[in-house]
């Protein structure tokens, strides 16, 4: 087992474990922290796949900006105590079973799919580098890129309208 | 060159045209035009029928095929007319008597409004059309079309005065009872087709070897069920007396002279089949005789002039079936003919009496009419003599032929039939004496009003009286005149010959003398008893007869009541408790189900997501695992 | 790495996200679970992009195949950022109105 495999399994275990801890921890702040750990693990996978630009963006945007925003909201509404009421035990169980079923069905369905013999290129290949992605983004995808700025603008206006006091 | 008989389609077509003209134009045409159209079309048919008769007199027969009426798979039913001796004879009776009765009706129905007058004649023409179709059809299906057509017209004309509920009930009764018989007929046709693959007379009768004995017996018995319905035999006879609700000419034409003889025609037409089944023949004979006696006993005590004649008709039809049953087909057909003459005469004369009495039908309120309405009296008398069977009037010859054939078959049946003949003479003369002799028993107003009928009616009566007198001369027994039995000879191509009489000449003379003597005695007895009739209550047994052996009540009890009970049971129990329960149950299940399903609409986003996930799982399962 | 591993890892992360949405009542945590699901999809997209690239590179070493997938992930992140800003604003407003972030109180859909 080479370093790549060790890294893959390590990052996978970290991602899954952090995700599970995220949904099970009582304290929302802990959940946020566990989610950040998951995002770091996923960023690690991106680096392993030599998608460095996305790995950096993931850490900056998700683990940085978005999760800070979450934390900020949690702090803002003074929500660090365990205020969540007990949910019906049966509903929890049914929810878990439903999710498990989905997992099982998808795994069973895709386990024998045609692409199972193909592999993803790891550690090499330069399409994930910012040099290539940037060229592509500002040539072929320049219109969607500019439009996404409009989306941000409208999202900002929306957030202000929704969030301001009556 | 085509056979000249190909144009026989005109015979039924003309009355149909008359029906259409009168039926559609009844509000615009005047009464005289309606009368001319109604009578003229029948007269034209009658002339054509005479021509056809002359064509077939020498033994010609012809099947005039026009087009394929039904052609499905192996089922081929051509629309064809059978022209032979039997059908030409019936054509003459139907169009001839029909024409006379049309003429009579123009006068008898003159009081009606123009619109109803037109309706009457259109129905009458439609009836003649259907009847012609019935006798001319070259296969059982065409016959059945006519058979149903005459049933419909009978219904329409019995209920002609449709504002009277009783009359409508009588019409319904006739229709429903006929339907029972028609079912038998229909099944017989199906059976016949299933076994032989054809319903055309010629093919059926030549291919009769394909049928085994039990098939023939079943088919002939089912056909007889149909005949019993149409020709008012036990147990389906009760509609005929009630059918007297219709106008009197209708009773004369449909319920005496023509339609009710359709059953006789059918059996005579199928004589090849009947001859092969001993059992069916016996059934026909016994049922015919029983009907003859039963109806005759009922007729003894009836007080409605038309009811007496109606029961007399049932009784005479019984004789015809007796003749068919003992194998004397030509005698039966002969009796159909003579009966058509004298029964039409009697009915029309009765109509004349009713006309004179301003609609009164109860003979207890009549009496002493002989002086006032002379022509009616004389013609009625001729009719009575003819039906009683006194030589040389027509009824004697036909009835004698039947009795003789019965004697050959079985002296016991002969004895009973002779007794029936006595009863016939007795009740007919009872009717005659009560109506025409003694003193007048009606109201003063009626007495003042009594008058002879107008010319068209009396002329018709005289013509029919003439026919009743001489009509029997076509069938003079062999012992009187060698070759005198013209009618059997005429019918021989269609009807298997009865064979030589087995009884000796002296026996035959003796039988005739016996029947004539007894009939005369019965008439004298009736004269003594009813010359000066006084109103009196019926005695114990007389009451039973007056109430028609309580047959209607019996049918009411054993058939109508249980069916009504079944109907109300189905309505109350089956309909309400089961059908309604099911229907309401569906509604309740949906209601309940939706009330439960409504709980899903909780507004809880969590449950929505849960359901969404479950649905995704199901879709994936179907997509990946079940669809393979 | 075999592509199957990435598929199963993504499915597992996605399912964990779904279970979280189904079992938790806190709107913020549900929101975070949605982000987790988005990331699972992103990971798979990148893996597929690299798989595609590997296949194309076997015939043409200078190929750019697979770039689209990664740019798609980039746009998903853009949309997710916008979504989070609006979503958190809604949660804040909800807290302001009903003094709770429990989704079970949000049953106005019933009416």
């Amino acid at each position: 087992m080479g370093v790549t495999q060790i890294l893959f399994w390590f990052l996978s275990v970290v991602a899954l474990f952090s995700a599970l801890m995220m949904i099970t921890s009582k304290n929302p702040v802990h959940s946020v922290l566990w989610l950040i750990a998951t995002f770091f693990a996923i960023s690690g996978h991106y680096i392993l796949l030599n998608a460095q630009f996305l790995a950096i963006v993931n850490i900056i945007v998700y683990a940085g900006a978005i999760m800070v925003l979450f934390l900020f909201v949690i702090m803002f509404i003074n929500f660090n105590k365990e205020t969540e009421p007990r949910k019906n035990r049966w509903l929890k169980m049914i929810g878990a079973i439903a999710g498990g079923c989905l997992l099982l069905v998808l795994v069973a369905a895709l386990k024998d799919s045609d692409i199972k013999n193909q592999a993803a290129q790891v550690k090499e290949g330069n399409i994930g580098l910012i040099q290539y992605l940037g060229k592509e983004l500002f040539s072929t995808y320049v219109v969607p890129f500019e439009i996404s700025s409009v989306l941000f603008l409208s999202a900002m206006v929306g957030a202000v309208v929704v969030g301001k006091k009556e | 060159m085509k056979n000249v008989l190909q144009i026989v389609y005109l015979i039924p077509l003309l009355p149909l045209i008359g029906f259409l003209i009168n039926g559609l134009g009844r509000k615009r045409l005047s009464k005289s035009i309606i009368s001319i159209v109604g009578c003229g079309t029948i007269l034209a048919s009658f002339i054509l029928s005479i021509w056809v008769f002359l064509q077939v007199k020498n033994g010609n027969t012809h099947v005039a095929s026009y087009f394929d009426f039904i052609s499905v798979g192996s089922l081929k039913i051509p629309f064809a007319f059978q022209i032979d001796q039997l059908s030409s004879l019936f054509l003459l009776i139907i169009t001839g008597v029909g024409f006379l009765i049309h003429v009579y009706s123009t006068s008898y129905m003159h009081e009606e409004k123009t619109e109803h007058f037109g309706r009457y004649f259109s129905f009458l023409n439609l009836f003649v059309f259907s009847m012609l179709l019935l006798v001319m059809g070259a296969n059982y299906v065409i016959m059945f079309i006519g058979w149903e057509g005459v049933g419909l017209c009978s219904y329409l004309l019995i209920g002609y005065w449709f504002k009277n509920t009783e009359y409508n009930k009588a019409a319904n009764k006739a229709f429903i009872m006929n339907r029972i018989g028609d079912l038998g007929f229909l099944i017989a046709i199906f059976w016949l087709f299933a076994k032989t693959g054809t319903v055309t007379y010629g093919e059926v009768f030549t291919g009769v070897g394909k049928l085994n004995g039990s098939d023939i017996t079943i088919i002939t018995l089912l056909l007889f069920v149909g005949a019993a319905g149409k020709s008012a035999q036990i147990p389906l006879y009760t509609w005929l007396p009630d059918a007297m609700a219709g106008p009197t000419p209708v009773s004369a034409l449909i319920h005496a002279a023509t339609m009710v003889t359709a059953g006789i025609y059918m059996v005579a037409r199928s004589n090849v089949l009947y001859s092969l089944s001993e059992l069916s023949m016996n059934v026909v004979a016994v049922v015919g005789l029983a009907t003859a006696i039963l109806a005759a006993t009922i007729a003894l005590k009836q007080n409605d002039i038309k009811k007496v004649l109606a029961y007399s008709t049932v009784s005479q039809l019984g004789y015809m079936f007796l003749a068919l049953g003992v194998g004397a087909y030509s005698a039966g057909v002969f009796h159909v003919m003579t009966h058509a003459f004298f029964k039409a005469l009697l009915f029309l004369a009765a109509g004349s009496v009713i006309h004179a009495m301003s609609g009164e039908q109860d003979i207890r309120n009549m009496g002493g009419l002989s002086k006032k309405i002379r022509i009616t009296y004389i013609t009625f008398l001729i009719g009575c003599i003819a039906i009683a069977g006194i030589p040389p009037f027509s009824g004697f010859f036909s009835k004698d032929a039947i009795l003789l054939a019965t004697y050959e078959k079985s002296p016991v049946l002969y004895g009973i039939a002779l007794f029936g003949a006595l009863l016939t003479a007795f009740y007919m003369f009872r009717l005659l004496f009560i109506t025409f002799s003694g003193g007048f028993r009606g109201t003063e107003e009626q007495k003042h009003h009594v008058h002879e009928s107008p010319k068209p009616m009396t002329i018709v009566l005289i013509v029919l009286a003439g026919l009743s007198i001489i009509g029997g001369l076509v069938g003079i027994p062999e012992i009187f005149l060698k070759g005198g039995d013209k009618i059997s000879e005429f019918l021989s191509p269609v009807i298997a010959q009865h064979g030589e009489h087995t009884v000796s000449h002296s026996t035959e003379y003796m039988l005739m003398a016996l029947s004539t003597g007894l009939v005369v005695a019965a008439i004298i007895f009736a004269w003594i008893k009813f010359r000066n009739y006084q109103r009196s209550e019926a005695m114990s047994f007389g009451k039973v007869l007056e109430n028609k052996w309580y047959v209607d009540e019996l049918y009411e009890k054993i058939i109508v009541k249980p069916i009504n009970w079944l109907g109300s049971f189905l309505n109350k129990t089956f309909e309400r408790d089961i059908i309604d329960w099911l229907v309401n149950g569906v509604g309740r299940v949906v209601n309940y189900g939706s009330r439960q399903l409504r709980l899903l609409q909780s507004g809880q986003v969590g449950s929505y997501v849960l359901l969404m996930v479950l649905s995704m799982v199901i879709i994936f399962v179907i997509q990946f695992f079940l669809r393979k | 790495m075999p592509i199957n591993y990435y598929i199963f890892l993504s499915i597992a992360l996605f399912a964990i996200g779904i279970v979280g949405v189904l079992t938790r009542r806190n709107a913020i945590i549900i929101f975070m679970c949605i982000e987790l699901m988005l990331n699972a999809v992103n990971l798979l997209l990148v893996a597929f992009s690299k798989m595609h690239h590997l296949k194309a590179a076997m015939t043409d070493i200078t190929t750019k195949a697979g770039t689209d997938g990664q740019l798609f992930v980039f746009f998903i992140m853009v949309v997710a950022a916008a979504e989070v800003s609006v979503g958190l604003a809604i949660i804040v407003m909800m807290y302001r109105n009903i003094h709770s972030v429990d989704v079970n109180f949000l049953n106005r859909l019933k009416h």
Side-chain angles (χ1 to χ4, degrees), chain B residues 228-260:
Chain B
K230 192 63 69 190
S231 296
Q233 296 298 295
I234 290 174
L236 299 174
Y237 71 91
T238 58
W239 65 270
L240 186 56
D242 288 5
M244 296 304 134
T248 307
V250 170
S251 308
L253 177 61
I254 300 184
H255 305 116
T258 55
M259 185 189 88
V260 290

Side-chain angles (χ1 to χ4, degrees), chain B residues 292-302 419 423 427 545-546 549:
Chain B
I293 300 297
L294 183 82
T297 55
I298 294 172
L300 289 177
K301 279 290 178 185
Q302 295 302 306
F419 176 63
L423 291 178
Y427 67 69
L545 292 182
E546 198 173 325
W549 291 96

Side-chain angles (χ1 to χ4, degrees), chain B residues 3 15 21 31 141 145 157 168 232 268 301 321 361 366 369 376 412 489 529 540 544 571 575 579 586 592 616 618:
Chain B
N3 195 312
I21 293 173
K31 278 187 190 176
V141 173
I145 298 170
L157 285 164
N168 282 332
K301 279 290 178 185
F321 275 108
Q361 296 196 9
M366 299 177 186
L369 295 178
T376 307
V412 178
E489 198 184 309
K529 204 156 186 281
S540 55
V544 173
N571 177 24
E575 168 76 15
I579 303 287
V586 169
Y592 175 81
M616 277 162 60
I618 289 163

Side-chain angles (χ1 to χ4, degrees), chain A:
Chain A
M1 191 184 273
V3 182
T4 314
Q5 268 97 338
I6 293 171
L7 269 177
F8 175 84
W9 288 113
F10 172 72
L11 289 172
S12 298
V13 168
V14 169
L16 290 173
F17 177 75
S18 317
L20 280 173
M21 289 309 290
M22 189 273 285
I23 63 163
T24 48
S25 49
K26 292 272 191 291
N27 192 328
V29 177
H30 293 176
S31 287
V32 171
L33 294 177
W34 281 119
L35 188 56
I36 290 169
T38 313
F39 286 161
F40 271 101
I42 288 172
S43 290
H45 274 298
Y46 288 163
I47 291 165
L48 200 61
L49 287 163
N50 210 18
Q52 294 157 5
F53 172 66
L54 285 180
I56 297 303
V57 169
N58 199 39
I59 286 170
I60 295 171
V61 174
Y62 263 109
I66 291 179
M67 293 329 284
V68 167
L69 203 55
F70 269 94
L71 266 179
F72 179 72
V73 168
I74 290 170
M75 308 280 183
F76 173 74
I77 59 184
N78 197 14
F79 198 69
N80 54 2
K81 59 186 183 295
E82 290 177 39
T83 50
E84 187 173 341
R86 285 184 70 81
K87 198 170 183 175
N88 188 332
R89 183 186 298 271
W90 287 107
L91 274 180
K92 272 190 175 173
M93 203 174 283
I94 289 171
I97 289 169
C101 282
L102 187 67
L103 175 69
L104 272 178
V105 167
L106 283 176
V107 168
L110 298 177
K111 147 169 87 74
D112 292 325
S113 59
D114 299 333
I115 55 166
K116 69 173 177 184
N117 294 324
Q118 304 205 23
Q121 193 183 34
V122 287
K123 290 198 296 183
E124 53 195 4
N126 46 13
I127 55 160
L129 303 181
I130 195 158
Q131 179 190 2
Y132 293 96
L133 281 179
K135 272 183 188 159
E136 193 74 6
L137 189 59
F138 289 104
S139 56
T140 317
Y141 288 91
V142 69
V143 178
F145 181 74
E146 293 302 335
I147 288 175
S148 66
S149 66
V150 180
L151 176 70
F152 267 117
L153 181 66
S154 58
M156 195 174 73
V157 172
V160 170
V161 169
V162 169
K164 78 168 186 192
K165 283 204 168 97
E166 308 289 312

Side-chain angles (χ1 to χ4, degrees), chain B residues 532-549:
Chain B
N532 284 310
Y533 173 78
Q534 292 304 321
R535 214 175 280 254
S536 64
E537 275 303 303
M539 298 302 177
S540 55
F541 186 63
K543 199 148 181 83
V544 173
L545 292 182
E546 198 173 325
N547 286 303
K548 311 149 200 164
W549 291 96

